[in-house]
Amino acid sequence: MKKNLLKGGTAVLGLALALTACGAPAKSADGKPSTIKDGVLNVGLSPDFPPMEYLDESSNQLVGVDVDIVTEIGKRVGLKVEYTQQKFDQLINSVKTERVDIVFSGMSDTVERQKTVDFIDYFKSVGRFYVLGANKAKYTQDTDVCGQSVAVSSKTDYYPALQRFSKEKCEGAGKPAVNIVPTDSGAAARLQLDQGRAQVAIQGAENLVYFEKKSPGKYAMVLGNVNELPFGAATKKGNTALQDKVVKAFQDMKTDGTLKKILDSHNVGYGLTDPVLNGVK
């Protein structure tokens, strides 16, 4: 689930980034996807969600799973890739108003969002409980979380998932409810854990894999999945000329092993899944 994890600016990045004016999609040559600007795939993203998309600390360049995927898709559909960097909560509107052609930004496909945009699902994301590494042994079964303070971003799908968990696994078993500590971001939830205001927090497994690489042993995933929702590339509803090309590119990438290679290079191979349009029902 995408929410702010690093501080990302809102300025459009360098030569590779461009903000395209609002307007109707350009009519491309036969066989080309329908995009706002002929020959260009304008991708909206919020680069504050490692390892999916973020700014490299040394070079200040865009890197991550989605960036590698988009680079490959651009080659396969014959379009030059340009990026528009925005805040996450602006991205869906940018697709609707044709400021960008497509969004790759760790965005979960949900039934509610499908009312506004279409999604090409391409990555299986899972939410996980995690604790400070030193406390891992304390959590071996679901009821170990009951009565504990659990920090979670209230802006993510993990929040209602935690509410359901508390009712089913704790209150339903005669155990004390989870003490939910709502925050405004995943980073803020992590801070609650770091400062001892919460014993447990929730984040996407992909983020936790990245944290393990940056700070080995500091955190540990415990128990099973809190929820599962696919990440989807958001496009304007009904833009089949673009959707069909991107879905085909994903299918080919999965068949020839390119997609798995990209995911494995970021240690998130568990997310490999079949590409599908609006897969959440």
Side-chain angles (χ1 to χ4, degrees):
M1 166 55 65
K2 169 65 189 286
K3 290 294 167 188
N4 291 344
L5 296 173
L6 298 176
K7 291 183 179 179
T10 57
V12 178
L13 300 177
L15 293 176
L17 308 184
L19 180 62
T20 305
C22 179
K27 293 183 178 179
S28 301
D30 289 346
K32 292 288 187 180
S34 175
T35 56
I36 299 164
K37 182 179 177 181
D38 197 16
V40 174
L41 182 66
N42 194 299
V43 179
L45 83 174
S46 179
D48 48 18
F49 188 52
M52 302 308 290
E53 50 273 319
Y54 60 105
L55 295 173
D56 180 76
E57 293 177 358
S58 59
S59 66
N60 205 40
Q61 296 296 308
L62 277 173
V63 293
V65 178
D66 286 339
V67 176
D68 291 348
I69 287 174
V70 168
T71 298
E72 184 65 26
I73 286 177
K75 294 176 183 177
R76 297 189 182 221
V77 301
L79 295 173
K80 176 185 176 182
V81 175
E82 294 181 352
Y83 291 101
T84 295
Q85 178 185 337
Q86 296 179 318
K87 292 181 179 180
F88 183 76
D89 58 8
Q90 297 174 341
L91 292 170
I92 286 182
N93 190 57
S94 287
V95 173
K96 289 171 54 182
T97 58
E98 296 175 347
R99 289 183 175 274
V100 301
D101 296 302
I102 194 167
V103 166
F104 275 87
S105 202
M107 183 175 288
S108 298
D109 176 4
T110 67
V111 172
E112 185 63 27
R113 286 174 174 162
Q114 286 177 21
K115 296 176 182 178
T116 305
V117 295
D118 287 329
F119 284 97
I120 302 167
D121 298 345
Y122 65 94
F123 182 86
K124 182 180 68 177
S125 175
V126 296
R128 295 293 303 272
F129 289 108
Y130 70 106
V131 298
L132 295 178
N135 296 329
K136 180 179 179 179
K138 297 178 181 180
Y139 300 90
T140 60
Q141 55 188 355
D142 289 342
T143 51
D144 292 334
V145 178
C146 301
Q148 298 283 288
S149 293
V150 180
V152 60
S153 171
S154 62
K155 298 181 179 180
T156 67
D157 295 304
Y158 306 139
Y159 185 79
L162 180 58
Q163 291 177 313
R164 291 192 297 271
F165 177 95
S166 181
K167 289 182 180 179
E168 295 171 7
K169 304 292 186 179
C170 298
E171 297 161 69
K175 301 287 186 178
V178 171
N179 176 26
I180 300 177
V181 181
T183 67
D184 62 3
S185 70
R190 190 165 68 254
L191 184 62
Q192 294 291 311
L193 182 66
D194 290 342
Q195 295 181 342
R197 296 190 180 95
Q199 291 82 48
V200 186
I202 298 177
Q203 194 64 61
E206 53 279 358
N207 308 129
L208 298 174
V209 167
Y210 176 81
F211 298 150
E212 177 62 21
K213 181 179 178 181
K214 297 287 288 185
S215 303
K218 183 175 181 179
Y219 304 108
M221 287 184 272
V222 295
L223 309 179
N225 297 340
V226 179
N227 68 347
E228 298 183 13
L229 276 176
F231 287 158
T235 64
K236 187 173 182 180
K237 291 197 73 67
N239 187 0
T240 56
L242 176 60
Q243 293 164 358
D244 291 349
K245 291 289 185 180
V246 175
V247 169
K248 178 63 163 55
F250 266 124
Q251 291 171 337
D252 291 345
M253 289 166 63
K254 186 173 186 291
T255 298
D256 65 25
T258 301
L259 185 56
K260 186 176 188 302
K261 183 177 179 181
I262 290 173
L263 298 182
D264 285 345
S265 71
H266 294 275
N267 301 310
V268 292
Y270 66 84
L272 186 68
T273 188
D274 291 322
V276 62
L277 187 66
N278 296 327
V280 175
K281 306 298 182 183

